[in-house]
Amino acid sequence: MPTNRDFYLNMAQQGLRMPIGTDLVLAEKPGHKAIKNDGRRLGEVVAESARRWQTPLAMPLMDLMIEKDWLVGALGVPHEEIATYHFLGHVPEKMPEAPATVRARATSDAIQYIAQNSDLLPCGMSIGPFSLMTKLIADPITPVFMAGLGEDDREVQAVQAALNLGMQVIVRNVSAQIAAGAKAIVVCEPAANTTYFSPNQFAQDGAVFERFVMNPNRQLKALLDQHGVDLIWHDCGELADDMVRQFATLNPVMMSFGSSRLLWEDAQLVPKDIVLFGNLPTKKFYSDDVMPLGQVQAKAQELLKRMKATGHPFILGSECDVLSVPGSEQRIKQKVAAFLNA
């Protein structure tokens, strides 16, 4: 079973506030692109980020291309074509044996650095199975919808095959991070949202959501439980209440949602032994027009007040990873500081 859930509940009780902000620290470094591929130097950045934001959680970069790069590269697709590559027709049943990519190895090596050289909690990172599938199929929306109507044509079968194939690389990547010393894995499933599963369809029959989202993630959760590793669930997509309820059945230690969710309402949907994290609109921090400093402070104060009233364990944080935007770096950091000190 996972490690002591009280660790996360205590962080919430003590009033921890934190961004997922490793990218902000990385962008300060000369040659930061090369650091992504150097496990030790990346580990040093992760540790520096955790200490700067005064959190015991050593959060890696939220790089959701790692698994696709590894999988599609193993199938022989040239590197420059991987980002836009989609399966057309046939989807292979099995991922070939292939060594981890440089980025995947660097992520695991950074976790190992944290585990061996700090008292921080080493966290790993993985894209969720459904979200990876959407990167492998050119038009996944239509077949997912048709599956909800009971269809099982070639396109629906391709989605299922891509899910199965994607799980293979996710298991490899997560297993490597666990072997490196990860004590928690952040599973990022932003595509599991109302774009793919309408609330009306979900209310009538949640079987397709169970098939394509929950079932593979339950398999991933079983892998984590087998190794005593905690699940931190992240989904910053537009969600229906029933989706939040379903995600909670995975029994993560923390749940992180985008700013479209009202966390004080989600507190009624989620058991009290699951910490809610977030969900300030940090994607907008780069712009003073759409998110001025005063509004950051006001939203932070509102979240703190409303979540305290619910009595639900809560960590004030970012809705997603806080990316460094060229030309706006200092303003973004000022806004992060504003919510940390609200």
Side-chain angles (χ1 to χ4, degrees):
M1 292 300 292
T3 54
N4 189 353
R5 190 172 287 265
D6 287 344
F7 175 80
Y8 303 89
L9 295 171
N10 288 339
M11 286 193 297
Q13 186 176 23
Q14 292 167 12
L16 176 67
R17 308 173 185 185
M18 58 169 280
I20 302 175
T22 302
D23 187 70
L24 289 177
V25 176
L26 176 65
E28 298 172 355
K29 309 300 180 186
H32 59 270
K33 291 183 179 179
I35 293 175
K36 287 185 177 182
N37 296 325
D38 184 326
R40 181 179 181 86
R41 294 170 69 198
L42 183 58
E44 291 172 347
V45 169
V46 171
E48 181 180 342
S49 175
R51 304 220 186 278
R52 181 177 301 184
W53 315 126
Q54 299 180 23
T55 169
L57 300 177
M59 287 285 192
L61 295 170
M62 194 176 284
D63 184 345
L64 302 189
M65 278 298 294
I66 288 176
E67 291 83 359
K68 183 180 181 182
D69 286 346
W70 189 352
L71 170 61
V72 177
L75 293 169
V77 176
H79 178 73
E80 61 274 13
E81 298 178 15
I82 289 176
T84 57
Y85 180 83
H86 298 110
F87 291 115
L88 299 175
H90 175 69
V91 178
E93 292 184 5
K94 188 174 181 180
M95 177 183 172
E97 291 298 326
T101 61
V102 172
R103 271 292 294 120
R105 285 199 305 273
T107 297
S108 292
D109 289 346
I111 290 169
Q112 185 175 59
Y113 173 86
I114 295 293
Q116 295 179 351
N117 297 279
S118 78
D119 58 355
L120 300 166
L121 185 85
C123 296
M125 187 76 65
S126 175
I127 192 171
F130 185 80
S131 298
L132 176 56
M133 179 278 294
T134 66
K135 293 179 180 290
L136 300 174
I137 301 292
D139 174 24
I141 294 177
T142 300
V144 169
F145 176 78
M146 297 306 294
L149 299 178
E151 297 291 332
D152 193 29
D153 61 14
R154 189 172 300 175
E155 290 185 344
V156 174
Q157 293 170 11
V159 165
Q160 185 65 64
L163 267 173
N164 296 343
L165 185 65
M167 275 296 291
Q168 295 173 37
V169 71
I170 287 172
V171 167
R172 290 190 197 184
N173 194 36
V174 167
S175 297
Q177 293 179 71
I178 292 171
K183 298 302 181 185
I185 299 290
V186 183
V187 175
C188 303
E189 195 67 290
N193 61 49
T194 55
T195 299
Y196 291 90
F197 306 94
S198 75
N200 289 338
Q201 183 189 50
F202 196 102
Q204 293 173 6
D205 183 4
V208 69
F209 191 78
E210 178 68 28
R211 174 183 175 183
F212 289 139
V213 177
M214 298 307 300
N215 206 31
N217 277 293
R218 292 191 205 285
Q219 296 174 40
L220 187 53
K221 177 62 162 59
L223 174 66
L224 300 187
D225 286 352
Q226 178 185 344
H227 293 279
V229 173
D230 299 314
L231 169 63
I232 297 174
W233 181 262
H234 171 78
D235 188 338
C236 56
E238 296 284 335
L239 304 174
D241 288 356
D242 284 337
M243 294 177 180
V244 173
R245 291 188 183 96
Q246 283 297 303
F247 296 150
T249 67
L250 295 169
N251 199 29
V253 293
M254 283 206 310
M255 297 178 75
S256 162
F257 296 129
S259 58
S260 62
R261 298 299 302 176
L262 300 177
L263 290 188
W264 52 89
E265 294 182 0
D266 288 340
Q268 310 307 313
L269 310 177
V270 175
K272 284 194 179 297
D273 63 347
I274 299 174
V275 174
L276 286 173
F277 175 88
N279 62 344
L280 292 169
T282 44
K283 293 176 183 178
K284 301 177 181 178
F285 277 15
Y286 73 95
S287 170
D288 283 341
D289 292 333
V290 297
M291 186 53 57
L293 184 62
Q295 194 170 345
V296 172
Q297 295 167 326
K299 284 185 173 293
Q301 290 165 354
E302 180 185 29
L303 259 172
L304 289 167
K305 179 180 179 180
R306 286 183 176 269
M307 289 306 295
K308 183 177 181 180
T310 69
H312 195 103
F314 171 63
I315 293 174
L316 182 67
S318 50
E319 68 175 330
C320 201
D321 56 333
V322 187
L323 297 177
S324 181
V325 178
S328 300
E329 298 93 340
Q330 294 309 312
R331 198 58 174 160
I332 292 170
K333 290 174 187 175
Q334 288 175 356
K335 292 173 184 177
V336 170
F339 85 71
L340 292 178
N341 297 309

